[in-house]
Structures are given as structure tokens and as C-alpha cells.
Amino acid sequence: MTEYQTGYQALGSFYDEDNDSPPVENIIHVVQDSHKSRWNHIENLDEFFTRVYQYHQRSGFACMAVADALQLIQFLFVVLFSVFLMNCVKYDVLFGDKVYDTTHKVTIPEAVVPFDQCVHSLPPILVICLIVAGAFWALRLIKVIYNVSKYYEIRCFYMTALKLSVDDMANMTWHEVQTCMRNVQKELQMCIHKSDLTELDIYHRILRFKNYEIAMVNKSLLSLKYRVPFIGEYAFLSTGLKYNLEMILFWGPYAPFESYWHLKPDFKNIHKRKDLADELSKKIMWYGVINLVLSPLIFLWQILYSFFRYAEVLKREPNLLGARRWSLYARLYLRHYNELDHEFDARLNRGHKCASRYMSIFTSPMIVVIAKFVAFFAGSILAVLVILTVIDEDVLAVEHVLSTMTILGVVVAICKSMIPDENMVWCPETLMTNVLAQVHYIPDSWKGNAHTFKVRDEFAQVFQYKAVYLLEELLSPLITPLVLLCDIRHKAQDIVDFYRNFTVEVTGVGDVCSFAQMDVRKHGNPQWVEEGETQANQKQQGEDGKTELSLMHFHLTNPEWKPPADCSLFLNNIKTNVQKDALAMTTLQAMQTDNPLVNSLHSMSSMGGGYNSIVCSVLQPNLAAGGVDRANLASVMSPPISVTHQGAALGSSMRNAQPRLRGGVSKTEGPLQGSGGGMLTSVNDQVTVSQIPGGSSIYASAIGSPTGGSPLVASNVNIKHNEGALEMLSTEMSFSALYMHGLHNRRLHGGQYESLDDYHARRIWQRQDSSNMPSILETNEHSNQGQADQGQGHPGQSHLGQSHQGQRNLGQSHQGHAEISQGHNRLTQDQIQPSQDEYFQTQTYQGQGQRPQLQLPLLKSNTVEDPDQEPTFIPPHLEPLESINFVPNSEDTSSRLTKSS
């Protein structure tokens, strides 16, 4: 690994003569308020700030203390109850194999071995397990007592220094608590090396080790991917392996850090790299051996704990194992630098629904056939047993009848979860883009290939079944020693080099991972930044845009933070690019050419909720400046968006919001009032006051006016603490991620960006049961006749009906095209304002032989007042092929169609 030269700064002592804070002032401060003097010069600020954060997120002292105490009781219960079941129950009496007394029913005392006999009959192996469990429980008890004392100390800090009570926790965001801490720092000097603490200083203290983990995964130092026979490449990271890695690398007795905030000096010396690597390799080997020796006990604990935790839940909800969750590997791969837990969880939670829908697209026909077969037979037997039970409840007294019914019910539920809805239609590329908008990271190889099983299998590594997660946790005691001994131990040299090359010392913070500084010049990726913005080589650059996206995220969640000059230059260049694309977005023709902003807005419009209205508030003013009306605005959007009613509806809901949100905001990202400096605002800044009535901003445009007419001026609406502003932060980051990925794609293609036709062609509609459907072309190819008829139409607009006579006459020459099934109301633009769940896109169906190509046309308005005027197009339907009913669903973020027979 290439050496990364870094200048280390020596931290000044509190008693140095050059210290900025005069000793006399500190003494006076302590005398003035003896209750606050305990917070002056806190030795371990990492632990202190982490506990302050946990105190806020876990709802105060009482909740934290009770939770820790109950965990102790839970551990004790699992151990003792397991011993009781294995050694103190007379199962022959309980099951009736041994006749105990025929005069009455068997009682519990008769089926249980007396306590003294049970204790004396314990086998040696159980005695050893109890001794080990007792020692572990005693250590946990000591740790809980210590933690509770620290919790009380943090409680005093909140009440004395921050002047915040427990009741304020649910009503305050972390950003507000952090602001209070920064103000208190000026008075109390918790950190003596600098008078003011920045937001980044606090994040570095809380996430020091987490940032190292993220960087190691991003640079593939901890790839955690292994070749498994018959499976292929598999990403494995269990709770046990993660715990061992953190103990080895960060806080264990032989870890490279001599304290929470300082790396051992030897690790900064290149001449000792060989000795340190050998020593670290031996320590990792001993950790692996210890795990191997303790693996039987840990494996037994995993089985018992999993049984007690999930057995009853699986009985009630058998489909729980078929649900999905983000893997532990994903929680490192998808995480930004300097991103707190609640911020990261909020991102993953928003992406969970569309990720689940994406994975549900892919089904195995063989599994579906077998599941239908098994469900039929199991359901038939279960139905007969249920009917017999209803007729005579004595049927339940027959041996194994109740257990048979339970097993059959579980089998039927599992089989039903494997059978997809035959009427569901999904667009994999759109769903993958929706996932990208929330989680912000996908490999370049996934883009445009979301419909392939290869991408599906790779995505399953980060979004796994809960059954797979449970299996990993059960096998973790056996696999973790092998990973430590056979993989991690051989990377000791790379780990030592990584610490030396990518560690910098920050005044007032200590040693931190240099990637966490989010310095674009040192760690920017040339494919993600403008030319000349970075000096990083292949080994110094961040991968997958980690540095750039992390910087944008931190900038939005901490708007008061002042980034360094290089970071500011990068952020300003991104906003400049957005503004240039916004200026070019004044005609319909420009919206269908090389414009990453348009593609980002197209992707956002498919995400549902208020995203359509936000996109409208961006597009409508810009296009209005170029003479494009609202109707034509709907024609270029895919999915089509409502430019008339949705903004007013969203505005109504926002205006009805309370002026101040109360409760449930402790998990909110960033400030309640939003960042106000994101790229959506940059787009709106390009539209002059004369172009937007009232000179409103993006936020006001999204809210609308009280009468549903023109947008309000931002000052006329208090949006600082309503739900609209609360969601704007996540919207800003989603848009930023999509746009930055768009710029990255353009750089990958040498400045060439796909046209809107190609963009639409990539959004291939996938039907889960597509055996009766024509094949869908994946590229937007036209016949020679269609190209000859293109005439004066703009390139890429043939799918809008401007180059095909059959599409231009649609709705005028075919009477049935403008009707839905047996209905008598025609579909006009005023009657159809589809939501995000009611659209699908134009594709070309190609038959065989000389059959003409069928187009899924975009419907044209029934009434055209001016024959010379281009017709106004509204969303398409498939009436020529079969009758289609739109089924709106406000919860879906993708399109759904149902067939009517």
C-alpha cells in the first residue's frame, strides 16, 4: 500500500503557557458555579459525547437503566429455564407414557422433579455451562452498575448544564441538543484544546471507530466476501464476527489504540510496520483460537436464545422468515462517513419498501409450481381437520391432531408467500432508482441491469431474508473462528499500513480516519468530481462516491457547519452544475437531451407521496419561462405527474399542520426547519422573481397558496416546523444522490449521457407471469417505416406520438380507446390525474414474421381546439390488447395494473 504522508500535530497541554484560555479565567469559572465545574476538562470526550447521544436517543435515564436491568434478567431466565427443561421435568409423566395416578389429572408438581433432587442430579457438562454463564453474568452485572452510574452523570449534565428535562427528549432533535452542547462548550470548556466545537468535531468523537470500519469496507480491506461452494460469492458479517473485529481493531486490550482518541505511536512509524504486522497477526490468531474453544458454548447459547425469542413469533406469523432486512454488511457498505445511527436508520427505513418490491419481482417458476402444489394439498387436509373440529371438538383430543393442524397452517402460509400476485406489474429499473434515491449507493454495474438475476443476487447480499440472517447468527460461533484464522489474520500487514496511511490528528479531537474528514482534494474520486478538484490516486480515493456523497449528506444535515475551502468548492460546483441544467431546461426539446437534472427529476417523480408536487414546482416555473404550458409539462414526465391538483393537495395538508411539531421528533435528521441550502433550492434560485409569481422559493412552490392558485411567497407561510419542511431534508438528499449519480454516469461515458428515449427504454415493465404477454424490447428501436415518418419531429419524441399516424389519430378514430371497460365516461385530461401508482410507460411490442409493431400509445386529449397545435397527451392505457383497470394505491411507489376479465 502506498504510503500516505500526513503531518501530525501535537496537542497542547492544558497547563501550557501558550494555551488560549488563561488559567485565572478557568479558576473563576469553577468558583462561580461549583455544580458545573465537574464538566470542565472532561478526559474522555468520546465516551461522554456517545453517552449524551444515547441518552437522547434512548429517552432518558429511567428507560436506559430499566432496559439494562431487564437484559440481565433475560439472560438469567434463558440459562435457568433451559437447565430446568433439560433436567427437572418428568417428560414420561407429562406425555402420559408413565401412569402416575389414574384418579385425577396430572398436576404440575407431579410432572416436575423436586428442586433438591434436580440440583444433585445435574450432569457435569451442565455444571460447567452454569459456571461459565454465572461468570459472564457477574461481569455483565458489574458493567450494568457502572453504566447506570454513568447514565446518572449524563442525566445531571442534561439538567444542570444543558437545562433540559427528560420530558424535552421527545420534543427535541439531536441537532438541537448538539447546538446546546456547542453553546455550553464556550462556557464550561469541556474540551480544553479549542474554545469552540464544530458539528464535525462532535461527530468525530461519537463515530471515530465507525468511520474506520466504513473506510475499511469501502477500500475492500475488510471485503467480507468469500467464495462458497455451490453458492458463489457470499458476503458474511454476523454479530459475533463484528464484535470480534471491533475488539481486535479498536477497543480490545491489544488494540492499536492506546486510548479512545489516540493511535499508538508505533503504528505511525513506517519502520516498525513489519514487527507490528507480525504481532497483530499473532493476536488475531489467539482471538480465533479462543473463539474456537468457546464455540460450543456460544453455539448452544445462540440456539437457546433464538428459540425463546422467535419460536412463539413464528407460530403467530410464519411468513416472518420470508420478510427481508438490511444485512449487517449493508449497514457498513451503505453508511456515510459521519452519519449517526438515527440518521442512517431513517434512510434505510425509507428504502425498505421499494427494496422489498424490487426483490418480489424475481420469482422462480419451479418454486411457484411446487408451492401451489404443496399449498393445495396442505390446505385441503387443514380444511377437513378444521371442519371436523367445528363439528366435534373431541377431534382435538386425538393424538397429534392439533400439532398437525399447526404444521399445516405454517406450511400453507409459507407457500402462499412464495406465490406472487399474477396481476402485479413492476418496473425493476424504476424501483432500483427509488432504492438508490434513499440508500444513495449502488455499484455502477447495477445501473441499467436491474432486471437481471445477477443484479438481484448481488442485491440479496445487502437485503437478505430474515431466515438467512437467523441462520448466519446460529452458525456464527462456528464460522467466526475460521474467518479470523484464515482471512483476517493474513491482512495484518494491510491493517497496519491502513492505520498509518489514513490517520490524521485533528486538534481538539485526536486521531481520526482521514476519509472521515471528507476532504475531496485528498480522497475524492476523479469520476465523481470536476477535473482538478482532487489529487487522490487510486489507493487514496474513496470508492463508489463515498467521500462526495458523505460530504453532501453532512452538509445538508448540519447546515451551520462551515466546510473547508476544498469542500466548499466541490459543493458550489455541484450547485453550479444544477443551475446550468436548470437554465437549459426551458423547452421540451431540452428536457429530452443530455440533462442529468431532468433524469433525476424523472426518477423522483416515481417515488410517490409529495415528490410529484416538488418536481412540478421545479419544472413548471422553468418551462413556463420557455413558453411551455402545464399540459405539455405532463406529457414529458415519465411517470406522468399532475401539475394541477397535487400541489394544491400537498399545500392543503401542509397548511393544516401544526405550527410546531410535538413528540416523536427525536429521530429526525438534521434541524426541524430543514437545510434550506440544498440543490433543489439552487434550481429554484435560477428562476427570477419575474418568472415565478410572487418570487417564491421551492418550499413555497411545493406548499401552494391557500386558494390553490399561485404559490405563496415563502414568508407568508410558517414552514419551519411543519411536516412539509420536515420531509424536505430527505427530499433534498434523495435528489442530491440521484443528480450526483447522474453526473458520475456522464463522466463514465466520456461526457455522453443517455437520451430520454434510452432512459425510458431502460424502464422495462416486468410482469411476474409474462407467459401470455408479448416480448418487450429493451431498446427503443423503430422500424424503417417509423423512421421515414419521423419528419420534423424532434429526436427521441417518436414515442410521444408525433411521428406515428396511428398514435396521432388515437382517441379520434378508435372510439373504444377512450373508454374503460364498460364505463361510459371518456378519459380526458381533466378526469385523469394519475398518481405515481397509476402510470406505465410506452414500450414497443414486436411480433414475429410480418406482423406490424404494436405501440402502447400515449392517449391524446379527445378535444383539440386548434388543428395545427400539437395534441396534449395524457397517460397511456392498453385498451387495444385487453381491458385494463387502474388500481390506485397511495402506499405503493410503483405502478400496479389489474386485468379485468
Side-chain angles (χ1 to χ4, degrees):
M1 180 177 290
T2 304
E3 182 181 359
Y4 180 70
Q5 299 294 338
T6 304
Y8 295 93
Q9 302 177 8
L11 300 181
S13 171
F14 175 64
Y15 300 102
D16 288 346
E17 295 180 359
D18 297 334
N19 197 296
D20 295 335
S21 301
V24 176
E25 293 183 2
N26 289 331
I27 296 176
I28 293 175
H29 166 68
V30 173
V31 172
Q32 284 181 346
D33 192 347
S34 60
H35 295 289
K36 295 183 179 181
S37 62
R38 58 193 301 188
W39 316 120
N40 181 271
H41 186 193
I42 298 175
E43 181 179 1
N44 190 347
L45 276 176
D46 284 32
E47 180 185 13
F48 181 78
F49 285 160
T50 301
R51 292 189 183 278
V52 170
Y53 172 72
Q54 292 176 347
Y55 186 92
H56 174 259
Q57 293 297 305
R58 295 177 61 183
S59 305
F61 173 78
C63 291
M64 298 171 73
V66 170
D68 288 0
L70 291 180
Q71 286 183 357
L72 279 178
I73 298 175
Q74 183 186 60
F75 178 84
L76 201 62
F77 169 79
V78 170
V79 173
L80 296 180
F81 189 54
S82 301
V83 172
F84 170 78
L85 292 177
M86 287 186 288
N87 200 62
C88 300
V89 177
K90 301 177 182 178
Y91 289 100
D92 53 351
V93 176
L94 186 64
F95 293 148
D97 297 334
K98 177 181 179 180
V99 180
Y100 188 81
D101 192 346
T102 59
T103 59
H104 63 277
K105 290 184 178 182
V106 177
T107 61
I108 292 180
E110 294 171 346
V112 175
V113 178
F115 178 75
D116 55 345
Q117 297 181 15
C118 180
V119 172
H120 288 89
S121 62
L122 287 176
I125 185 65
L126 279 183
V127 174
I128 295 176
C129 292
L130 285 175
I131 292 175
V132 174
F136 180 75
W137 188 83
L139 293 177
R140 290 192 62 178
L141 177 62
I142 296 174
K143 184 177 179 180
V144 167
I145 295 175
Y146 172 79
N147 286 338
V148 170
S149 65
K150 291 295 183 180
Y151 297 158
Y152 184 78
E153 181 181 353
I154 300 301
R155 175 180 178 272
C156 296
F157 174 76
Y158 265 85
M159 299 183 67
T160 305
L162 301 182
K163 295 180 172 57
L164 300 175
S165 64
V166 178
D167 296 335
D168 296 328
M169 292 300 99
N171 299 328
M172 296 187 67
T173 65
W174 168 250
H175 185 271
E176 293 175 307
V177 176
Q178 182 177 254
T179 302
C180 294
M181 290 174 57
R182 294 178 59 209
N183 295 332
V184 168
Q185 159 67 15
K186 301 175 183 179
E187 177 186 356
L188 300 182
Q189 289 297 301
M190 296 178 291
C191 175
I192 61 173
H193 299 288
K194 55 195 311 185
S195 58
D196 294 331
L197 288 176
T198 66
E199 294 88 347
L200 189 59
D201 292 339
I202 297 176
Y203 274 68
H204 277 335
R205 290 282 189 176
I206 299 175
L207 300 169
R208 187 189 305 274
F209 297 152
K210 182 63 67 177
N211 286 330
Y212 273 105
E213 284 186 87
I214 298 170
M216 288 178 178
V217 171
N218 181 250
K219 295 299 293 182
S220 298
L221 177 61
L222 299 178
S223 63
L224 304 174
K225 292 184 178 181
Y226 309 98
R227 281 285 174 182
V228 181
F230 308 108
I231 296 178
E233 189 177 64
Y234 188 83
F236 176 81
L237 180 63
S238 64
T239 304
L241 178 58
K242 182 173 179 290
Y243 180 85
N244 277 272
L245 290 176
E246 291 175 349
M247 185 165 54
I248 292 171
L249 298 177
F250 304 120
W251 52 265
Y254 304 105
F257 283 83
E258 63 180 358
S259 60
Y260 278 98
W261 57 93
H262 274 304
L263 195 66
K264 292 179 180 178
D266 290 345
F267 279 84
K268 302 175 183 179
N269 189 345
I270 190 174
H271 301 293
K272 296 185 177 181
R273 60 191 294 268
K274 180 62 176 176
D275 296 336
L276 290 173
D278 294 339
E279 183 181 357
L280 181 60
S281 179
K282 291 180 181 179
K283 293 174 182 176
I284 295 176
M285 182 190 67
W286 281 113
Y287 274 102
V289 170
I290 294 173
N291 275 271
L292 190 62
V293 172
L294 297 178
S295 59
L297 294 178
I298 302 175
F299 182 65
L300 178 62
W301 163 257
Q302 291 282 51
I303 293 176
L304 295 175
Y305 179 78
S306 300
F307 174 78
F308 289 129
R309 181 175 182 180
Y310 296 107
E312 192 275 333
V313 177
L314 291 177
K315 179 181 179 298
R316 288 187 291 107
E317 302 177 23
N319 59 347
L320 176 67
L321 295 179
R324 290 187 177 269
R325 69 186 301 275
W326 298 103
S327 65
L328 293 179
Y329 171 76
R331 300 187 72 86
L332 290 178
Y333 172 75
L334 299 176
R335 190 161 184 166
H336 294 304
Y337 297 121
N338 303 307
E339 184 175 23
L340 294 172
D341 290 342
H342 74 282
E343 298 170 347
F344 183 52
D345 291 338
R347 247 189 339 116
L348 294 188
N349 291 341
R350 288 194 298 267
H352 187 278
K353 184 177 292 185
C354 47
S356 298
R357 292 196 179 102
Y358 171 77
M359 293 302 294
S360 66
I361 293 175
F362 300 91
T363 56
S364 171
M366 181 61 68
I367 292 179
V368 172
V369 171
I370 295 175
K372 290 180 179 179
F373 176 82
V374 174
F376 173 78
F377 281 94
S380 301
I381 299 174
L382 179 61
V384 172
L385 292 178
V386 170
I387 293 175
L388 292 177
T389 303
V390 172
I391 296 175
D392 189 352
E393 62 181 9
D394 292 337
V395 175
L396 295 175
V398 179
E399 186 178 13
H400 301 314
V401 168
L402 185 60
S403 58
T404 301
M405 294 177 64
T406 302
I407 295 175
L408 289 175
V410 172
V411 170
V412 170
I414 294 176
C415 291
K416 291 294 185 182
S417 65
M418 296 180 180
I419 302 174
D421 186 352
E422 61 181 7
N423 296 318
M424 301 296 285
V425 180
W426 302 107
C427 181
E429 198 68 36
T430 298
L431 289 175
M432 181 57 74
T433 305
N434 292 346
V435 173
L436 172 62
Q438 303 298 350
V439 303
H440 304 165
Y441 295 101
I442 63 172
D444 293 330
S445 59
W446 291 7
K447 299 172 183 177
N449 299 310
H451 60 285
T452 63
F453 274 91
K454 180 179 182 295
V455 173
R456 182 263 179 205
D457 293 339
E458 293 177 357
F459 187 70
Q461 301 292 319
V462 298
F463 196 62
Q464 61 183 183
Y465 283 116
K466 287 188 177 180
V468 176
Y469 165 75
L470 293 179
L471 183 61
E472 286 183 354
E473 293 299 318
L474 287 176
L475 299 179
S476 176
L478 308 178
I479 298 178
T480 296
L482 300 178
V483 173
L484 294 177
L485 293 172
C486 301
D487 180 49
I488 305 299
R489 185 168 68 92
H490 300 294
K491 294 182 178 180
Q493 183 71 74
D494 294 333
I495 293 174
V496 172
D497 290 337
F498 184 90
Y499 276 124
R500 185 185 67 258
N501 295 334
F502 301 115
T503 297
V504 294
E505 184 170 335
V506 179
T507 304
V509 178
D511 291 332
V512 300
C513 181
S514 60
F515 286 100
Q517 290 290 98
M518 301 175 296
D519 191 339
V520 176
R521 180 160 294 275
K522 292 182 179 180
H523 296 300
N525 193 312
Q527 296 177 345
W528 287 81
V529 299
E530 298 289 344
E531 184 177 358
E533 285 187 357
T534 181
Q535 299 175 349
N537 56 32
Q538 178 66 33
K539 294 184 178 180
Q540 294 173 343
Q541 69 186 24
E543 306 299 335
D544 300 324
K546 181 73 72 173
T547 304
E548 294 79 11
L549 289 168
S550 298
L551 175 60
M552 179 62 70
H553 179 267
F554 192 83
H555 166 65
L556 292 176
T557 53
N558 297 273
E560 297 90 358
W561 176 63
K562 297 180 180 178
D566 294 332
C567 297
S568 297
L569 176 63
F570 168 77
L571 295 172
N572 291 333
N573 286 341
I574 290 289
K575 294 179 181 179
T576 300
N577 286 329
V578 174
Q579 292 169 354
K580 290 179 180 178
D581 290 337
L583 288 176
M585 198 173 58
T586 56
T587 64
L588 292 179
Q589 181 179 4
M591 290 189 63
Q592 301 180 68
T593 56
D594 181 6
N595 196 323
L597 176 60
V598 174
N599 285 351
S600 301
L601 294 173
H602 273 71
S603 300
M604 281 189 61
S605 66
S606 68
M607 294 170 59
Y611 290 100
N612 283 352
S613 298
I614 295 173
V615 171
C616 245
S617 67
V618 176
L619 289 180
Q620 200 276 334
N622 285 275
L623 292 177
V628 181
D629 58 8
R630 288 175 175 261
N632 284 328
L633 172 59
S635 70
V636 299
M637 292 304 296
S638 178
I641 61 173
S642 169
V643 298
T644 306
H645 304 295
Q646 288 192 8
L650 181 65
S652 176
S653 63
M654 290 184 177
R655 287 189 301 273
N656 293 333
Q658 297 296 325
R660 173 76 178 182
L661 290 173
R662 285 296 180 185
V665 299
S666 60
K667 308 293 184 182
T668 301
E669 306 167 82
L672 274 180
Q673 66 270 20
S675 65
M679 289 198 290
L680 282 175
T681 308
S682 300
V683 176
N684 196 55
D685 289 342
Q686 285 303 303
V687 184
T688 61
V689 176
S690 60
Q691 291 172 330
I692 302 180
S696 62
S697 67
I698 275 287
Y699 298 93
S701 301
I703 292 176
S705 66
T707 60
S710 301
L712 283 174
V713 180
S715 60
N716 292 341
V717 182
N718 181 14
I719 62 172
K720 288 186 177 181
H721 301 296
N722 62 26
E723 295 184 7
L726 200 62
E727 293 299 324
M728 281 303 297
L729 179 61
S730 62
T731 304
E732 287 275 14
M733 190 59 217
S734 296
F735 173 75
S736 300
L738 291 173
Y739 184 78
M740 292 172 69
H741 274 272
L743 291 179
H744 168 63
N745 291 339
R746 184 164 62 180
R747 295 186 182 105
L748 283 180
H749 293 85
Q752 297 296 325
Y753 201 83
E754 62 183 353
S755 66
L756 195 63
D757 280 348
D758 294 334
Y759 176 83
H760 290 332
R762 284 197 299 108
R763 269 126 176 87
I764 306 164
W765 286 101
Q766 301 288 336
R767 187 166 186 256
Q768 293 179 344
D769 184 12
S770 58
S771 58
N772 298 325
M773 295 289 289
S775 61
I776 301 178
L777 293 182
E778 298 188 9
T779 58
N780 194 13
E781 298 177 353
H782 301 282
S783 63
N784 295 333
Q785 182 64 32
Q787 293 176 355
D789 293 341
Q790 199 166 11
Q792 300 299 323
H794 297 292
Q797 289 183 333
S798 61
H799 65 288
L800 294 177
Q802 297 176 356
S803 60
H804 296 282
Q805 182 176 1
Q807 290 181 341
R808 296 177 62 88
N809 295 330
L810 186 65
Q812 298 176 353
S813 59
H814 299 282
Q815 182 177 0
H817 287 191
E819 298 180 358
I820 298 179
S821 299
Q822 303 297 326
H824 300 286
N825 296 327
R826 290 186 175 274
L827 298 176
T828 65
Q829 184 177 356
D830 293 335
Q831 291 171 322
I832 296 183
Q833 293 294 344
S835 67
Q836 71 279 2
D837 303 317
E838 300 175 342
Y839 74 89
F840 55 91
Q841 295 151 339
T842 300
Q843 298 292 348
T844 302
Y845 286 85
Q846 187 175 16
Q848 298 179 355
Q850 300 298 324
R851 292 180 59 188
Q853 292 184 346
L854 295 178
Q855 293 285 341
L856 302 187
L858 289 167
L859 286 183
K860 187 171 60 177
S861 177
N862 292 329
T863 303
V864 180
E865 297 180 359
D866 186 359
D868 297 329
Q869 180 183 356
E870 285 293 335
T872 300
F873 293 96
I874 58 178
H877 70 92
L878 287 171
E879 186 70 16
L881 298 180
E882 56 181 344
S883 180
I884 298 292
N885 293 331
F886 289 107
V887 181
N889 187 342
S890 59
E891 296 181 356
D892 288 351
T893 57
S894 56
S895 303
R896 298 179 45 180
L897 302 175
T898 59
K899 293 193 303 182
S900 61
S901 57

